Structures are given as structure tokens and as C-alpha cells.
Amino acid sequence: MVRFKNRYILFEINFGDNSKKPVQLKVTALHNAIQQKVQQLYGDFGIAAIKAGFSAKYCNAHTKIAIVKSRHGPHKFLINAIPIIKDIAGRLVSVKILYVGATIKHCFLFIKKFQQQKLEQAWNTLKTETERKNMKDALMTLTPAMKDCT
Amino acid sequence: MDIRESTGFYDLCVNVPENKIENLYPVLSKLCEYGFKTIAINTNIDESILGTDKKKKKKSGDSEISQGIVFETINIENIRKEFDGRLKIFNRITFFCSDFAKTHILNHCSSLKTYDLYAFAPRTQNALQCACTQLNADIITLRPNPMSFKLNKKLYDQAIERGIHFEIQYIDLLNVEFRKTTIHYSHLFHTYGKSKNVILSSGSNDIKTIRNPYDLINLACLLGLNEVQAKASMLHQCKRLLLRAERRHRGKAAFIIKDCTKKRSVIEEDAQCVKKLKTYVEF
């Protein structure tokens, strides 16, 4: 029996406008943005191809990492389409793919490492222990949506 | 029903344009021109036809009434005569259903026996599930619906094991609304079972929507079929399907016995030739 191969694409979203508005990350908005881009690039066929097993989720609101799951094969469409996403729900963004993994375990290992790096950078600017602890909590935890995946 | 070896392509779903038999003739001659040799003329049946009779049946408590339901069957004898030698024409019924219990009523119908092929078009997930596991149909056709179906490997394998074929109708690809879902379903067949038992048919009711079989083979790469599979989906798979339908009809396995007497004479001629040759060599 052949198992289904999946691909998980991790990417980081940077908001272009520097306004300090609280970032509202909505899964459906991300979902639509990706689908719209695939529709532009590959048309109806692309949409139909990525539809099976497609899901998009945010991992962490502070580091702004999102993860997209797709079947092996049509993930190539996604890899091409994701970097050229320019706006999500009307906000200007730039998207950077960090990692493409075959299992969610490896993706989490990568996220852990990545967030550790971010944390170390942030710690340099902070002095007190409580601030540091708060920062650690903020960066190293995942959103509740991801809990069921771990 | 006569299933003999045939060479041309199969198109196992042709609808009657606007319910007028006269309009069918140009469509069939066009199909014939494109190289199709075996055609099945489709009749759509909705479950609502059976629904009204179900209440009556409950009152009388007898299944005789359900046997009396007569659909508007297309008289294909005239068409068969018209296209004799050019096309082989079969009769097919497509049953649109959301409630699986209604298929039992249909099974009791005597008019079901007049159809050579029995296709089932589920409208709900539940109906699809039951059809894959229990229903004694030939074809399951996933028509675009407001509700989308979920298929899984187990369900698909069960259907394959029971010899049920899945149908893709390319008329849905010409339609902008349904294109995405149709491609999606055919990709599901590809991921779950490497597109086993998939047949490609037109489902057309208009002369403009008929395509050349070789164009269809090229088109089928969009549907996750490779060239060999695409060709098979219009040739060998359909032949297997017809044999299976025959089996369902008669409740037995069907096979064809061929008269081999002519072959023997060929062998004898051959032997004589060899003898002659030997005599030449001796000289």
C-alpha cells in the first residue's frame, strides 16, 4: 500500500506597512489569498489540483509563521504561488518561504529552532528577568489551532 | 445485448437533446464520424419519481406498485436499425438519488431490466458511501453538486473490488462552474487508486460539445490520467464494464464463445503449403 505524500510549507509573513495596529491574523483570509494567487497563475486547473488535502494555519501570532499543508505534486504550484502573495485581506505583506517539509514533526523542529533564534535576538534588547520571561512565553508558544497537530 | 469484439471508441453516456429523438440522429452521426463505435443512450431518472409511489406503496403494503412504475424509455430499436453496422447502441439509466433506501424500490422495478447499463449518481455523502459498499450498479458518476463529496481510499478500493466503474463526463469540463469540482474528483481518483476503473464519457446533449477521441486523450492529462490510461478509459475499461453489466443482468459471469472452425481450415491450408514447399525442395 502506498501512503499519501504530503508537503508542509512553512513561511513567514512580514507586514509592509509599519503601523502598529494589532495584527489580526485570520485563517480564512490567508486561505483566500493563496487560492487567489494560484487562480491567477494556474487557473481553474491549479485550484482543482491543490484542493485535495489543502489547509492553511497560523502557528504563532508574534513571529508570524504560517503553515500550509498540501499533497505532494500540487505543492509545486503552492511553492511558486506563495512568494508572490502581496496582500492578505487588504494589507500589504511580503512572504518568505522558510522550509518545505514532508512531515509535520520536522516542521516543528524547524519552527523551534527558528523561534529560538528570534528569542535570542530579542533578549539582547531586554534587561529584566520578567520581561525576558514574558518574551519567551510569547515567542515559544504556538496558537491553540496548532495544538491538535502536535 | 450483444457485446462482441469491437474496435472503435466507446462513449457510454449520450443524452437525448431536448427529449426529442429526431435531434439524436445528427449527434450520433457526428460521433460515428469521430470514430466512436459503441454508444449508450442515457435516461436520467430522479428519485422524486419513486418518492410519490413510495407513499402509495406504504398504504397498500405491497411491492407490486413499485414494479408498475414505468419510465419514459427511449425506443432505441429504430435508432439501432438506422445505425446498423456503424454504431452499437446500448441503453443506459442514470439514477439521481440522495436517499439510499430508494434504490431498493428501483431494484424491484421491472423496467430497470430493460436497460443495459445502470449508473448511479449520488447526491449526498451517505448515498455515495452506500453505493460504493453495497449497491449493485455498474457505474458511479459524481456529478457536480452543491454539496461536495469526500472520497477515501478504503471506499474507493471497495468499489473497485466490486467492479464498479467511476465515470468522468467531459461536458463538465466545458462548463465554467463545474470545471473545478470535476478536475478535483478525477484527481482524487488518481491519488487514491491510480485512476483504476475510470471511464471517460461525453454526457453531452448537444452536437457542439462532442470532441474527437484523440483530443480527449490529450485532455485527459489534466484529469490525472496518463496517455495509456486515457485511451483505456475509452476502450478496454468500457468493454470490461459492458461485460460486467451483462453479468449483473444475468446473474452469471459472461464470456464469449467463438467459432474456431474457420481457423482450422487456415491451419490445414498452411500444412498443405508446407507440404508443397517440401516437394519443391526435394526437386
Side-chain angles (χ1 to χ4, degrees):
Chain A
M1 185 179 138
V2 188
R3 71 192 165 88
F4 310 124
K5 286 183 181 173
N6 289 320
R7 286 292 179 272
Y8 301 88
I9 302 166
L10 274 182
F11 54 93
E12 187 187 26
I13 300 162
N14 290 313
F15 288 89
D17 45 351
N18 289 323
S19 61
K20 291 286 175 192
K21 270 187 275 178
V23 188
Q24 279 269 321
L25 299 172
K26 274 193 181 153
V27 175
T28 47
L30 179 69
H31 208 277
N32 288 341
I34 294 171
Q35 278 197 329
Q36 208 182 352
K37 214 64 195 174
V38 172
Q39 170 82 43
Q40 273 175 22
L41 286 177
Y42 297 100
D44 288 338
F45 175 71
I47 293 283
I50 63 164
K51 202 173 167 187
F54 178 69
S55 74
K57 274 170 188 166
Y58 283 105
C59 279
N60 189 319
H62 299 276
T63 44
K64 300 189 203 69
I65 294 176
I67 188 164
V68 165
K69 180 189 173 191
S70 164
R71 288 272 149 77
H72 178 259
H75 77 282
K76 284 177 187 165
F77 296 153
L78 287 173
I79 289 178
N80 292 339
I82 285 172
I84 53 174
I85 290 173
K86 274 192 292 191
D87 73 305
I88 295 174
R91 296 194 61 174
L92 208 63
V93 294
S94 72
V95 177
K96 187 176 130 197
I97 292 185
L98 299 170
Y99 184 73
V100 180
T103 58
I104 203 147
K105 190 186 165 195
H106 276 95
C107 286
F108 279 122
L109 286 177
F110 181 85
I111 292 174
K112 213 173 163 188
K113 235 189 234 152
F114 183 79
Q115 287 179 337
Q116 199 94 44
Q117 277 179 3
K118 284 256 166 163
L119 186 66
E120 278 163 15
Q121 283 172 10
W123 270 0
N124 286 335
T125 58
L126 302 173
K127 295 286 173 247
T128 60
E129 272 303 309
T130 49
E131 269 180 331
R132 284 187 169 196
K133 195 173 179 309
N134 288 342
M135 186 55 94
K136 188 182 177 186
D137 286 346
L139 289 186
M140 294 302 285
T141 51
L142 298 172
T143 53
M146 299 303 294
K147 281 274 158 60
D148 51 340
C149 294
T150 49
Chain B
M1 187 150 83
D2 181 30
I3 314 157
R4 302 287 153 172
E5 277 179 41
S6 56
T7 45
F9 289 98
Y10 292 71
D11 186 351
L12 294 183
C13 184
V14 179
N15 289 315
V16 183
E18 295 157 6
N19 290 325
K20 282 178 192 158
I21 305 267
E22 306 91 79
N23 300 346
L24 197 63
Y25 290 100
V27 174
L28 290 183
S29 40
K30 190 82 179 171
L31 282 166
C32 186
E33 189 188 310
Y34 278 150
F36 288 98
K37 280 281 154 60
T38 310
I39 305 290
I41 291 167
N42 185 32
T43 316
N44 286 330
I45 295 292
D46 198 88
E47 60 176 346
S48 56
I49 294 175
L50 301 173
T52 50
D53 290 82
K54 200 183 174 187
K55 284 170 197 164
K56 281 185 204 165
K57 188 188 149 192
K58 268 179 190 169
K59 281 175 194 167
S60 60
D62 201 349
S63 64
E64 279 174 18
I65 290 169
S66 68
Q67 283 184 352
I69 302 167
V70 183
F71 317 128
E72 288 176 43
T73 46
I74 301 161
N75 189 14
I76 60 165
E77 287 306 318
N78 290 335
I79 309 167
R80 267 188 185 153
K81 270 178 207 158
E82 176 80 25
F83 287 92
D84 188 35
R86 288 196 287 161
L87 287 175
K88 275 180 190 147
I89 293 168
F90 294 106
N91 226 346
R92 162 192 158 139
I93 184 172
T94 308
F95 182 52
F96 287 85
C97 176
S98 57
D99 182 13
F100 186 72
K102 293 209 171 128
T103 58
H104 297 302
I105 306 171
L106 187 71
N107 282 341
H108 288 294
C109 288
S110 52
S111 41
L112 184 68
K113 296 244 165 68
T114 58
Y115 292 95
D116 301 318
L117 284 168
Y118 174 24
F120 184 76
R123 280 212 178 111
T124 55
Q125 180 69 30
N126 205 5
L128 173 68
Q129 224 148 22
C130 293
C132 285
T133 50
Q134 297 166 25
L135 186 67
N136 191 17
D138 304 315
I139 308 172
I140 292 177
T141 166
L142 295 180
R143 298 298 311 226
N145 241 351
M147 214 197 74
S148 67
F149 300 114
K150 278 176 195 151
L151 206 64
N152 57 40
K153 190 175 165 62
K154 198 180 160 197
L155 214 58
Y156 186 73
D157 281 350
Q158 271 176 329
I160 297 293
E161 212 165 89
R162 298 174 59 243
I164 293 173
H165 285 67
F166 287 87
E167 186 188 39
I168 304 169
Q169 299 192 350
Y170 64 77
I171 193 170
D172 295 331
L173 293 177
L174 302 172
N175 193 329
V176 182
E177 288 171 66
F178 304 139
R179 193 180 293 150
K180 280 179 206 168
T181 41
T182 312
I183 297 175
H184 172 62
Y185 289 144
S186 43
H187 281 194
L188 287 184
F189 297 145
H190 174 75
T191 45
Y192 289 130
K194 294 179 184 171
S195 297
K196 274 185 235 115
N197 283 19
V198 168
I199 63 165
L200 195 64
S201 68
S202 71
S204 77
N205 50 9
D206 193 354
I207 196 160
K208 284 172 232 150
T209 54
I210 295 167
R211 296 287 180 272
N212 193 343
Y214 291 98
D215 291 342
L216 291 176
I217 290 172
N218 288 329
L219 178 75
C221 78
L222 275 189
L223 303 171
L225 302 166
N226 62 27
E227 271 181 36
V228 179
Q229 282 173 328
K231 201 174 172 192
S233 75
M234 281 185 285
L235 286 169
H236 312 304
Q237 287 294 353
C238 294
K239 197 179 166 190
R240 278 184 57 198
L241 172 63
L242 286 173
L243 280 172
R244 195 202 114 85
E246 180 85 4
R247 192 177 79 186
R248 180 181 59 83
H249 246 247
R250 305 194 192 275
K252 299 263 163 57
F255 58 92
I256 298 166
I257 299 173
K258 243 187 172 178
D259 196 2
C260 288
T261 44
K262 273 185 186 172
K263 250 186 188 172
R264 235 177 253 157
S265 67
V266 170
I267 295 166
E268 280 168 12
E269 276 175 25
D270 204 17
Q272 281 175 354
C273 271
V274 171
K275 269 181 192 172
K276 273 182 192 172
L277 276 177
K278 272 181 185 169
T279 50
Y280 282 128
V281 170
E282 278 171 9
F283 280 117

